[in-house]
Amino acid sequence: MIALQVIRCSVTGRATVPRPTWSGNRNFWGWVNMMFNRVDEKRLKVVGPDRLCAEWLLRNGAKVKFVNVPHVQQHYNLLPEESVRTLVEELDGTESGIMHIGFDHLKGLKHLRKVKLHKCVYLQDQALAKLALVADTLEELEVSSCKNITDHGLLCLRELKKLKQLVTYELPYVKDLKSVETQLKQGLPECRLDLRP
């Protein structure tokens, strides 16, 4: 975050704003990650939602698997040519810099069936709410070791009616796991739940 302080000159009485200062190295990198997570609407029109989503994931250290491609894509520079049509089938955000604002990249995806969110330090409840963008296709979800996820975030998953498997563990800010599990069972009766502390 940028910390600004308005200072009034004792002689003229005019307000001046000094140059912004960063309130820590961590905040600086958080800002950089935020910029890497924003949807580029112009690029979306050129390459479409699947390619743009793949670029977002790889740019932030995540992995992606395309439909009918046996291997997982890990390197941005090894993406196929833009003219090659790619369809995102799986997303692995393990230890990546993906943030909730980046989850707008899921809009328009028609084949995403599996998502793994493990040790995502910038992930918050809003990201889980945005998974509703792929509620028609998402079947498998893991949310683990994400320190900012709460009960509220997990309860947003009730919107994912096609979900067949949900795994969660090491979510320290989930305070009432039994209540969450009960509500998810009611909202997702066809889903196999594996919710661990």
Side-chain angles (χ1 to χ4, degrees):
M1 300 204 88
I2 299 176
L4 293 178
Q5 179 182 8
V6 176
I7 300 173
R8 290 209 175 267
C9 177
S10 59
V11 177
T12 64
R14 290 186 190 159
T16 60
V17 179
R19 286 187 159 200
T21 59
W22 294 101
S23 59
N25 195 34
R26 183 179 172 111
N27 288 336
F28 171 74
W29 289 112
W31 179 82
V32 169
N33 282 340
M34 184 179 70
M35 299 314 295
F36 279 156
N37 274 273
R38 291 194 183 275
V39 174
D40 182 342
E41 296 294 338
K42 289 181 183 176
R43 182 121 179 96
L44 177 61
K45 291 176 183 175
V46 173
V47 299
D50 286 88
R51 171 70 185 220
L52 190 67
C53 181
E55 290 177 359
W56 161 61
L57 293 167
L58 297 174
R59 194 171 49 240
N60 284 284
K63 300 172 193 157
V64 64
K65 183 184 176 307
F66 298 119
V67 172
N68 297 325
V69 176
H71 65 276
V72 173
Q73 186 73 40
Q74 300 182 58
H75 303 290
Y76 186 91
N77 292 332
L78 296 178
L79 275 169
E81 295 291 325
E82 288 182 15
S83 58
V84 176
R85 186 168 184 242
T86 56
L87 301 171
V88 174
E89 180 178 35
E90 297 181 17
L91 171 172
D92 183 350
T94 299
E95 296 183 341
S96 69
I98 59 176
M99 306 171 87
H100 73 275
I101 59 172
F103 278 64
D104 290 333
H105 286 92
L106 302 181
K107 187 175 182 181
L109 299 188
K110 304 293 183 197
H111 299 86
L112 183 62
R113 59 171 205 79
K114 183 176 181 179
V115 170
K116 180 177 181 179
L117 303 170
H118 180 67
K119 292 190 177 179
C120 300
V121 296
Y122 297 109
L123 205 68
Q124 298 174 331
D125 289 341
Q126 300 97 309
L128 299 187
K130 287 184 179 185
L131 288 174
L133 293 169
V134 288
D136 291 339
T137 61
L138 190 60
E139 297 178 354
E140 297 178 42
L141 175 62
E142 177 183 321
V143 184
S144 54
S145 298
C146 296
K147 307 302 183 190
N148 298 316
I149 298 300
T150 70
D151 305 54
H152 175 73
L154 291 182
L155 291 175
C156 292
L157 303 178
R158 290 177 291 190
E159 303 300 316
L160 306 177
K161 300 301 183 186
K162 299 271 176 120
L163 207 58
K164 295 178 180 175
Q165 178 178 326
L166 173 61
V167 176
T168 70
Y169 58 91
E170 294 178 10
L171 302 175
Y173 286 103
V174 174
K175 299 303 182 188
D176 191 349
L177 190 59
K178 288 197 175 194
S179 174
V180 168
E181 185 172 17
T182 299
Q183 293 182 63
L184 287 175
K185 279 181 179 175
Q186 292 170 352
L188 302 170
E190 304 299 317
C191 183
R192 187 170 76 248
L193 300 178
D194 182 3
L195 310 184
R196 289 171 266 155

